[in-house]
Amino acid sequence: MTTSSALDSFLDKWRTRWPEWSVAEPFVPEAQRTLVVAWFTLLQEFDDILNTSGDPMPADAKLAWWGEELRSWAGQRSRHPLGRLLEPVRAPWTALADALPDLIEARAAALEPAQAFKALQPYAAAVAAVEAVMFYTPVRGDVATPVLVQTLAQRLNAAGVAAVPRSLLAAGEGDAAQRWAQQLLARWPARVPGPRARRMYASLARTRLQASAQGRELKVTPMRTLLRTWWAGRG
């Protein structure tokens, strides 16, 4: 497989998981579109490692490899196909690499919701710091919390009840996963600060979480997606 086809394979994997993005993407400046998808593809790699089940050793080894890879980007020496697009950005890659081990700790079920948030705070802050540089966006307001909540929401979607804090499971009142989704929504405003691409991606992810919180099937139409992401992208 050539480097170009390997890169396309990674990008297509993310697009397949987020087909709504094809409707939202025209609101992203054309020069940034491939970069945006590459960045979100990288974050999806980290989400998959966070949400792995069964033997964690392969995922942990992969995470360690990514830490080395991100540090090499700081010196403009990439090995992964995604590095072709992301490495030229002079972002704080080393700080993100330093935060990756938090994903291993966060994989264990939290005792309380506050613990779930605390475990991923440094990682979310590192992600937000990279985005501020990548998309030339001055940091205004709390840009890390939306990243944090979205990471937890996508963990709930991928891992199900294994991602729910144990205190909610012990309460035994209704669907614990649904109640956790509702708590995440309470911390996740419909419009978040940060770069346009993040605001639009958050809007799509929040819509999925809303369906889970309400115990209903997700219904997505191009028109709804168009209006939602246009509104989110306006800032």
Side-chain angles (χ1 to χ4, degrees), residues 127-139 143 195:
V127 168
V130 170
E131 291 184 348
V133 174
M134 183 175 295
F135 303 123
Y136 316 107
T137 305
V139 176
V143 294

Side-chain angles (χ1 to χ4, degrees), residues 10-230:
F10 276 101
L11 301 183
D12 288 345
K13 184 169 66 171
W14 183 83
R15 288 190 176 104
T16 298
R17 295 189 187 188
W18 294 91
E20 309 98 306
W21 190 254
S22 64
V23 177
E25 191 170 47
F27 296 124
V28 176
E30 187 172 0
Q32 289 187 354
R33 290 175 189 173
T34 304
L35 180 68
V36 166
V37 175
W39 171 239
F40 290 154
T41 298
L42 177 63
L43 295 184
Q44 186 67 66
E45 288 287 302
F46 299 153
D47 283 340
D48 289 346
I49 291 170
L50 169 63
N51 301 323
T52 191
S53 58
D55 182 4
M57 290 185 65
D60 292 351
K62 187 175 184 180
L63 190 68
W65 185 92
W66 270 116
E68 295 176 0
E69 177 71 358
L70 291 178
R71 289 184 176 88
S72 76
W73 290 2
Q76 297 183 295
R77 297 184 306 274
S78 63
R79 293 170 292 174
H80 196 279
L82 289 174
R84 291 182 55 202
L85 296 172
L86 298 174
E87 177 210 86
V89 179
R90 300 294 84 205
W93 298 118
T94 299
L96 179 58
D98 290 343
L100 291 184
D102 292 345
L103 299 178
I104 296 176
E105 178 184 348
R107 195 184 294 147
L111 296 178
E112 300 286 347
Q115 183 182 352
F117 284 101
K118 184 177 180 181
L120 285 169
Q121 281 179 343
Y123 169 75
V127 168
V130 170
E131 291 184 348
V133 174
M134 183 175 295
F135 303 123
Y136 316 107
T137 305
V139 176
R140 295 192 181 95
D142 182 1
V143 294
T145 294
V147 175
L148 171 59
V149 178
Q150 184 167 338
T151 303
L152 289 170
Q154 290 173 198
R155 172 158 172 70
L156 176 60
N157 180 64
V161 70
V164 178
R166 291 176 181 174
S167 62
L168 297 181
L169 294 173
E173 299 174 359
D175 187 296
Q178 190 172 335
R179 284 184 283 117
W180 180 223
Q182 291 166 354
Q183 289 198 23
L184 292 175
L185 277 175
R187 294 192 177 218
W188 200 358
R191 177 177 284 164
V192 302
R196 177 183 296 179
R198 167 59 62 180
R199 299 196 306 266
M200 292 164 55
Y201 188 21
S203 176
L204 298 178
R206 192 179 187 278
T207 299
R208 293 188 179 188
L209 184 65
Q210 279 182 309
S212 298
Q214 296 168 5
R216 59 176 174 81
E217 183 180 349
L218 177 66
K219 294 183 179 180
V220 177
T221 67
M223 182 56 68
R224 288 178 180 175
T225 299
L226 184 70
L227 292 174
R228 183 178 297 112
T229 52
W230 170 80

